C-alpha cells in the first residue's frame, strides 16, 4: 500500500472543524487571522488541515470578498532588467500584504495591454500597476471608474486624479549629455528608442536642454532612431556608427542600458576602443551596466524603489477608498560615471 496519503478533492471547512473539534469560525480565523487564535487550538486545527488535506477555495473566498488576493503589474518589456528590478520592488511590498503579483508584458503594444487589463479586471485584482503604452489613459480611467485602483509606474500622471511614480527623465537626459559636453565631446550621437514612449521623449528633451545651456544647436546632436529599447537595436546602431568613415561621433548617449550594451558589443567587434575612440553613456544602471566588459557610465533609476513606492500607493488606495489622496511622486536620477566615458582627445 503506497504510503502516499490520498487527498480528496474537496474537503470542506466544516469537516476540518468537526475533525479538530472546533467551530467553523475558529477554522476561518486560523486561516485568515491566526494571531488571534490560542496556540494549542491553532496547532490542533493545522494538524486537521494537514491530515484531511484541506485546501481553501480561493474562488469562493474571492466571490465573498469581491476581490482576489493579487495585484496586477503591466510592464512594457519583461525581458528588460529595468522592469524585473521594478517588479522585485512591487513583489516585496505585495508579499508583506499577503498578496501575489500577476506580471503582464505588453511589449509596448496597445492590443496586448488592452487584453491584459480586461483579464486583470476579470480576476478582480486589488489594483493595477502599469507602465502604459501611449494612449492608455482612457482605458485606465474606465478601469478606475469601475472600481479597480490604478497607479502609473515609471510614467508621470497627466492629471492629479491618478497616482503615479516616475523619474525625472528630462533631468536624466540632461545629466548624460552634460557629462559628455564637460568631457569636451563636440560630436555626440543620441540613440533614441520610439519617441512615442514618454520616457524616451523626456530623455531627448533633457539632452537638447544640455546642448542649449552649452551654447550649442539642437542640430549638433546626431540622432539615430531605433525601433525598440533592446540590445539588438544597440548592435544595429553600433554597426551604423562603425561604418562611418568620416564624421563619426566621439560619444554616444543611449536611451537605455540595453541599447548601450549593444553599441558596446559592436564597438568591440569592430575594434573601436571604448572610451579611447568613443565614449558611451546608458540609462537605468541595471546590474549588467557595472558588469559590462567596459563598465558602463549610466543614469541610475531607483528601480526597486519605484516598484515599492508604487505598490504601497496602490495598496493605500485599495484600502483607503474615497478618503485616499492621489499622489504624483517624481524621483531624481543620478549619473554613475564608470570606464565607458572619458575626456575627448
Ligand atoms: O520604460 C521605458 C524605458 O525606460 C525602458 O526601456 C526602461 O529601460 C526605462 O529606461
Amino acid at each position: 500500500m503506497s504510503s502516499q496519503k490520498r487527498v480528496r478533492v474537496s474537503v470542506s471547512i466544516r469537516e476540518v472543524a468537526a475533525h479538530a473539534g472546533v467551530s467553523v469560525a475558529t477554522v476561518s480565523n486560523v486561516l485568515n487571522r491566526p494571531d488571534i487564535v490560542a496556540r494549542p487550538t491553532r496547532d490542533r486545527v493545522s494538524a486537521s488541515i494537514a491530515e484531511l488535506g484541506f485546501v481553501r477555495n480561493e474562488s469562493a473566498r474571492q466571490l465573498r470578498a469581491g476581490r482576489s488576493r493579487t495585484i496586477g503589474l503591466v510592464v512594457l518589456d519583461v525581458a528588460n532588467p529595468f522592469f524585473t528590478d521594478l517588479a522585485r520592488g512591487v513583489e516585496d511590498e505585495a508579499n508583506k500584504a499577503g498578496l501575489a503579483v500577476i506580471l503582464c508584458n505588453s511589449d509596448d503594444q496597445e492590443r496586448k495591454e488592452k487584453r491584459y487589463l480586461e483579464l486583470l479586471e476579470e480576476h478582480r485584482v486589488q489594483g493595477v500597476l502599469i507602465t502604459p503604452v501611449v494612449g492608455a489613459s482612457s482605458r485606465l480611467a474606465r478601469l478606475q471608474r469601475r472600481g479597480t485602483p490604478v497607479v502609473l509606474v515609471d510614467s508621470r500622471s497627466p492629471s492629479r486624479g491618478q497616482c503615479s511614480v516616475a523619474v525625472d527623465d528630462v533631468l536624466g537626459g540632461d545629466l548624460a549629455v552634460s557629462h559628455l559636453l564637460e568631457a569636451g565631446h563636440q560630436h555626440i550621437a543620441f540613440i533614441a528608442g520610439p519617441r512615442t514612449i514618454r520616457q524616451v521623449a523626456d530623455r531627448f528633451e533633457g539632452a537638447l536642454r544640455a546642448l542649449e545651456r552649452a551654447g550649442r544647436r539642437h542640430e549638433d546632436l546626431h540622432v539615430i532612431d531605433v525601433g525598440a529599447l533592446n540590445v539588438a537595436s544597440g548592435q544595429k546602431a553600433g554597426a551604423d556608427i562603425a561604418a562611418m568613415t568620416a564624421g563619426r561621433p566621439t560619444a554616444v548617449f543611449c536611451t537605455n542600458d540595453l541599447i548601450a550594451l549593444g553599441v558596446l558589443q559592436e564597438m568591440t567587434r569592430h575594434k573601436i576602443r571604448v572610451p579611447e575612440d568613443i565614449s558611451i553613456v546608458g540609462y537605468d544602471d541595471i546590474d549588467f551596466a557595472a558588469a559590462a566588459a567596459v563598465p558602463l557610465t549610466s543614469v541610475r533609476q531607483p528601480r526597486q524603489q519605484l516598484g515599492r513606492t508604487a505598490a504601497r500607493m496602490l495598496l493605500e488606495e485599495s484600502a483607503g477608498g474615497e478618503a485616499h489622496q492621489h499622489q504624483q511622486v517624481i524621483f531624481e536620477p543620478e549619473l554613475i560615471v564608470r570606464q565607458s566615458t572619458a575626456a575627448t582627445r
Side-chain angles (χ1 to χ4, degrees), residues 76 80 82-83 131 154 197 199 203 229 255-256 283-284 301:
L76 293 177
N80 181 343
F82 168 85
F83 290 109
T131 304
D154 181 35
I197 295 177
Q199 297 88 322
R203 291 166 205 172
L229 293 154
T255 320
N256 77 358
Y283 203 105
D284 292 340
Q301 296 203 75

Side-chain angles (χ1 to χ4, degrees), residues 100-138:
V101 179
I102 300 176
L103 177 60
C104 306
N105 175 41
S106 67
D107 272 335
D108 193 22
Q109 293 172 18
E110 201 165 335
R111 176 186 52 78
K112 278 190 80 174
E113 179 186 87
K114 183 172 180 292
R115 181 61 197 115
Y116 274 130
L117 290 175
E118 290 163 355
L119 182 142
L120 291 171
E121 191 173 19
E122 289 158 12
H123 277 262
R124 293 287 184 274
V125 294
Q126 301 271 346
V128 173
L129 298 170
I130 183 167
T131 304
V133 301
V134 65
S137 49
S138 54

Side-chain angles (χ1 to χ4, degrees), residues 9 18 20 60 67 71 81 83 88 103 183 198 208 231 234 241 243 283:
V9 173
R67 286 281 170 196
I71 60 175
F83 290 109
R88 175 72 224 206
L103 177 60
R198 172 72 183 272
L208 296 180
V231 172
I241 290 170
Y283 203 105

Side-chain angles (χ1 to χ4, degrees), residues 34-102:
D35 53 305
I36 67 168
V37 181
R39 165 67 92 185
T41 306
R42 196 165 64 211
D43 292 348
R44 200 162 74 244
V45 171
S46 300
S48 296
I49 286 172
E51 176 60 31
L52 298 176
F54 170 77
V55 176
R56 70 169 73 192
N57 182 332
E58 173 60 14
S59 304
R61 189 206 66 78
Q62 184 174 317
L63 276 175
R64 285 193 306 278
R67 286 281 170 196
S68 71
R69 287 182 302 170
T70 56
I71 60 175
L73 172 61
V74 186
V75 298
L76 293 177
D77 178 5
V78 74
N80 181 343
F82 168 85
F83 290 109
T84 44
D85 290 344
L86 185 151
R88 175 72 224 206
V90 171
E91 201 271 339
D92 285 346
E93 282 309 307
N95 190 264
K96 280 185 206 166
L99 301 178
V101 179
I102 300 176

